[in-house]
Amino acid sequence: MTARSALRRLSDLANTYFVGLVLLASATALVRPGTFTWIAPYISPLLGVIMLGMGLTLRPVDFRRLAERPRDVAIGAVAQWVIMPVAAYALTVALSLPPAVAVGVILVGAAPGGTASNVMAYLGKGDVALSVAITTVTTLAAPLVMPAWVVLLAGEQLQVGFVDLFVNILQIVFIPVVFGFALRLALDRYAPEVAEVGLDVFPLVSVVTIVAIVAAVVGLNVDTILGAGVAAIAAVVIHNAIGLSTGYGTGRLADMSDDRVRTTTFEVGLQNSGLAAALALSFFSPAAALPPALFSVWHNITGPLLASYFSRAEEAVVRTSPADD
């Protein structure tokens, strides 16, 4: 086995057991918080590394897809931009969440799509190209859209303005993604083998980084989890359910094909909770980072379960379709 194939195998294993790794690290953080809390000051740069990896996966063809399917991209992006922030605010009111936890829920709702939605679209027999296109649009627009929602919905609880949030998201998300995209262009032209190795490495890096971020936030919030944790968990579970169900309904109402309905489901329901956690720790408090951390754990349980259901349903249709003919 070559070093590259071993690395690819390791990345595959990390993706396969991602949920288990998150749960194990989170449980460890509850018992021994100091194991992970030292990571907290590095969460923003670590998230920038993940965004760099996302940029490396993009190629010019992905942007051409935006022009080829503007309707479905726009529907998916707008659905996520509207449904998740509004649902987040409604839950903070309905559940009477503490101010810090409420800000965290709103940060999750205002966050763009994450790479998890792309993976789930692939596993769930969705339209992966559409998934990448929607994630790209929401991510690149995040420096404008996310601060606008956070200031609008949590303005009374904020001691930070739109500009501060804009600059921070620009640094964490937009610049690394654009740099990763430019780097991929250069590598494809001058060192294609290095580009392929990078694509093998970054899934593993992303898994390790996300596990570390979630565990660090859990470690910082042991007391909050044991206290207000029930309400925060309820908000996360309901929020994710709203996103997935309304994403599915949006695709159906828009008369999308089945694969694009599945894609829209994941794009609306799965958020870049790592970004929300980084912003919570940068501008608010560890308690505000709790909902994003819980969302990271939960949507990586519901996402694979739903993807498995979609995949089995699609395979069943394929098996029966010859007989229908």
Side-chain angles (χ1 to χ4, degrees):
M1 180 181 291
T2 65
R4 182 175 170 184
S5 61
L7 185 62
R8 187 182 297 114
R9 174 63 176 164
L10 191 59
S11 290
D12 290 341
L13 285 172
N15 281 318
T16 300
Y17 297 104
F18 176 63
V19 174
L21 292 171
V22 170
L23 293 175
L24 177 62
S26 298
T28 303
L30 281 174
V31 178
R32 300 181 62 87
T35 307
F36 296 100
T37 51
W38 62 271
I39 299 171
Y42 308 103
I43 286 179
S44 290
L46 286 173
L47 189 64
V49 171
I50 296 174
M51 293 296 100
L52 174 67
M54 178 182 171
L56 281 172
T57 67
L58 298 176
R59 291 187 292 180
V61 65
D62 296 316
F63 292 94
R64 286 198 291 271
R65 292 190 184 107
L66 300 181
E68 294 171 357
R69 58 189 73 199
R71 173 185 176 272
D72 289 351
V73 173
I75 290 171
V78 171
Q80 185 189 58
W81 284 330
V82 174
I83 291 169
M84 294 303 277
V86 172
Y89 179 74
L91 285 169
T92 65
V93 175
L95 297 174
S96 300
L97 296 177
V101 176
V103 169
V105 174
I106 290 171
L107 282 168
V108 171
T115 53
S117 61
N118 307 147
V119 175
M120 293 308 114
Y122 170 74
L123 296 176
K125 309 293 186 183
D127 187 329
V128 179
L130 177 63
S131 178
V132 171
I134 296 173
T135 299
T136 301
V137 167
T138 56
T139 298
L140 294 179
L144 289 172
V145 175
M146 194 172 181
W149 271 120
V150 173
V151 171
L152 176 65
L153 299 178
E156 295 180 358
Q157 305 173 36
L158 299 184
Q159 295 180 344
V160 59
F162 177 93
V163 174
D164 294 323
L165 287 168
F166 172 81
V167 171
N168 199 264
I169 298 171
L170 201 68
Q171 293 171 340
I172 295 175
V173 177
F174 188 84
I175 293 175
V177 168
V178 172
F179 179 75
F181 174 68
L183 182 61
R184 175 68 184 275
L185 286 177
L187 290 176
D188 280 346
R189 182 171 183 179
Y190 299 108
E193 291 186 2
V194 175
E196 293 302 319
V197 171
L199 292 176
D200 291 335
V201 170
F202 265 97
L204 176 61
V205 172
S206 295
V207 168
V208 172
T209 303
I210 293 172
V211 169
I213 290 173
V214 172
V217 173
V218 170
L220 291 167
N221 284 284
V222 173
D223 292 337
T224 305
I225 291 171
L226 298 177
V230 174
I233 292 171
V236 165
V237 171
I238 297 170
H239 196 197
N240 179 237
I242 290 172
L244 293 171
S245 58
T246 55
Y248 183 87
T250 297
R252 286 293 178 212
L253 287 173
D255 198 27
M256 294 183 184
S257 59
D258 287 346
D259 59 339
R260 294 185 180 185
V261 169
R262 292 190 285 268
T263 294
T264 306
T265 302
F266 292 123
E267 286 300 321
V268 177
L270 307 184
Q271 301 289 88
N272 190 338
S273 47
L275 173 59
L279 292 175
L281 290 174
S282 296
F283 292 107
F284 305 107
S285 66
L290 177 60
L294 294 174
F295 200 95
S296 292
V297 176
W298 183 248
H299 83 175
N300 281 297
I301 295 174
T302 59
L305 287 174
L306 189 57
S308 178
Y309 171 78
F310 281 153
S311 178
R312 289 197 302 270
E314 178 67 12
E315 289 171 359
V317 170
V318 170
R319 284 196 300 270
T320 58
S321 57
D324 295 338
D325 292 338

